[in-house]
Amino acid sequence: MIKMDNNSTKIAVLGAGVVGMTAAKLMQDSLRNAEITIIADKFAEDTTSMVAAGIFRPGTSFRGRTKEITQKWMRDSWDYWQDILRSSEASNAGVMQVDGYIFSKDNYHVTRNHLMEDVVPLYRPVEENELKLCGEGFKYGSYFSTIKAGCDCYLPWVERKFTAQGGKLSKSKLESFASLTRKYDLVLNCTGLGAKYLCDDHDLVPIRGQIIKARAPWLKTAIYGDYDTYIIPGMDGVATLGGTRQYDSYNLNVCRHDANAILERCCEIVPSLKKADIVGHKVGLRPHRVPVRVEGELINSLKVVHCYGHGGYGVMCAPGTALQAVQLGIDLLKSNTKNKI
């Protein structure tokens, strides 16, 4: 990545979820003396990112404009999280190593993941005896080694680092890009589902997710099953139980029927969860777009780089997409006017 020193450059990052926060910090590391402001109407616990379990296991439908771009996002994201994991800041940032299983009673193909298999250190078919770890009837499975980044720790951690180096935060709701034209040299648009309205992007669709937080400190391994069932341990002993994947739903209310179904499916796989204390229920709207939009654009005279549409994979894939967005932003700052990069 090209690094520049420019104390007159003013940059706005729109959105304070995992994508926006990560992009802002990466931009700050690249443009040491630029004035960078994160503008958002929601921070920390109010963001969709806080609902996510944050495990590095992208869905196989996740993609950028090309296969090569998608693969680079995966590798760059993995390296970013691994750098934190190997540092003394891992626990403060909420990054931990976790192993996982994915089981299925009906479909072998759902236990494979071409986006992960060539990135994580271990991804293998399960042994025959491992199929019995989650009860009867499972025919297929894979075991993998990965990482988890909890946004309850990561977002405050990266925000502290950003502000400690002079980054600014502004809580406000942006209705259009027009108000930013004369104030900033560059804008990174990381508004997630908000981009549907800000950019009039009809390709961006919410996918509703509901999860349960349960205190189960004895769980050390992530487990996936059929029907969007997953059990993901947390660093603090609170596991994430899921889930739902409801296309084009804007319902942010907790549904007791979804909660009952989630708990029933998870307890069927891991019976010990029946004794777990329920900490809470959460709902988030994942910003789903195919492909994920990472591209530069001139809106009137304003230089904008879009980085949104990650669906349910924003936490794990934020660094890779943010790195590309930052590079596009640097290129835009150095370039003459063009309609699109």
Side-chain angles (χ1 to χ4, degrees):
M1 179 180 291
I2 299 172
K3 292 193 176 183
M4 301 168 62
D5 288 310
N6 190 337
N7 56 16
S8 64
T9 302
K10 293 186 177 181
I11 299 170
V13 178
L14 311 182
V18 65
V19 179
M21 279 290 179
T22 303
K25 187 64 181 70
L26 291 171
M27 180 64 81
Q28 187 181 62
D29 292 342
S30 295
L31 300 181
R32 298 292 186 181
N33 297 318
E35 183 180 305
I36 303 174
T37 303
I38 297 175
I39 303 173
D41 61 338
K42 296 178 180 179
F43 283 83
E45 66 272 5
D46 295 323
T47 64
T48 301
S49 299
M50 293 293 276
V51 181
I55 191 170
F56 191 95
R57 184 185 170 271
T60 54
S61 63
F62 178 88
R63 67 178 179 88
R65 285 187 295 170
T66 68
K67 179 180 178 180
E68 291 72 26
I69 286 174
T70 309
Q71 289 174 331
K72 181 170 174 52
W73 287 348
M74 292 299 105
R75 176 57 65 184
D76 287 347
S77 295
W78 178 259
D79 290 344
Y80 176 90
W81 294 121
Q82 285 294 303
D83 285 345
I84 296 177
L85 182 64
R86 289 191 291 262
S87 75
S88 60
E89 292 284 300
S91 59
N92 293 331
V95 179
M96 59 184 282
Q97 182 174 339
V98 63
D99 294 334
Y101 286 100
I102 177 167
F103 295 107
S104 178
K105 294 182 179 181
D106 303 310
N107 300 294
Y108 168 72
H109 72 275
V110 304
T111 70
R112 299 293 301 273
N113 189 314
H114 68 282
L115 293 176
M116 282 185 71
E117 290 177 346
D118 294 332
V119 176
V120 300
L122 178 62
Y123 199 108
R124 62 165 174 80
V126 297
E127 304 291 340
E128 188 69 26
N129 63 314
E130 291 175 300
L131 287 171
K132 298 178 181 179
L133 290 173
C134 296
E136 300 297 324
F138 288 98
K139 301 177 182 178
Y140 313 104
S142 292
Y143 176 86
F144 55 90
S145 178
T146 187
I147 61 97
K148 179 186 182 299
C151 279
D152 55 338
C153 292
Y154 174 73
L155 286 183
W157 175 79
V158 75
E159 180 182 311
R160 288 194 300 270
K161 287 189 167 296
F162 175 73
T163 56
Q165 293 184 20
K168 299 179 180 180
L169 306 177
S170 175
K171 189 171 185 178
S172 61
K173 186 174 179 61
L174 189 71
E175 300 295 341
S176 72
F177 290 104
S179 61
L180 305 176
T181 301
R182 291 182 173 83
K183 296 180 180 178
Y184 297 98
D185 302 294
L186 176 71
V187 171
L188 298 187
N189 174 25
C190 308
T191 52
L193 193 59
K196 184 175 184 69
Y197 313 102
L198 187 61
C199 302
D200 196 26
D201 188 342
H202 299 290
D203 293 327
L204 190 60
V205 179
I207 296 184
R208 179 181 179 275
Q210 181 170 320
I211 55 94
I212 298 171
K213 293 290 186 177
R215 194 172 303 282
W218 60 88
L219 293 178
K220 304 300 180 184
T221 303
I223 299 176
Y224 287 80
D226 295 314
Y227 312 116
D228 280 318
T229 303
Y230 52 86
I231 302 153
I232 301 173
M235 185 177 288
D236 58 356
V238 176
T240 301
L241 315 183
T244 64
R245 194 174 300 272
Q246 295 160 352
Y247 187 84
D248 207 14
S249 171
Y250 291 82
N251 179 17
L252 281 168
N253 297 313
V254 172
C255 172
R256 62 185 176 89
H257 302 294
D258 287 337
N260 290 337
I262 291 167
L263 194 58
E264 181 180 346
R265 296 198 312 268
C266 290
C267 287
E268 181 182 1
I269 293 176
V270 181
S272 64
L273 287 170
K274 293 177 182 178
K275 64 180 181 180
D277 294 328
I278 303 301
V279 176
H281 302 263
K282 293 187 177 182
V283 175
L285 304 183
R286 308 172 180 105
H288 173 74
R289 190 182 192 275
V290 180
V292 178
R293 190 181 187 192
V294 182
E295 63 182 5
E297 182 181 17
L298 272 175
I299 300 177
N300 295 323
S301 60
L302 183 65
K303 295 179 178 181
V304 178
V305 176
H306 304 286
C307 187
Y308 64 82
H310 298 68
Y313 312 111
V315 177
M316 65 198 74
C317 301
T321 56
L323 277 166
Q324 185 186 7
V326 167
Q327 188 61 63
L328 287 172
I330 291 173
D331 293 342
L332 264 180
L333 286 171
K334 296 170 65 178
S335 71
N336 295 321
T337 58
K338 296 179 181 178
N339 289 329
K340 189 171 287 188
I341 300 296

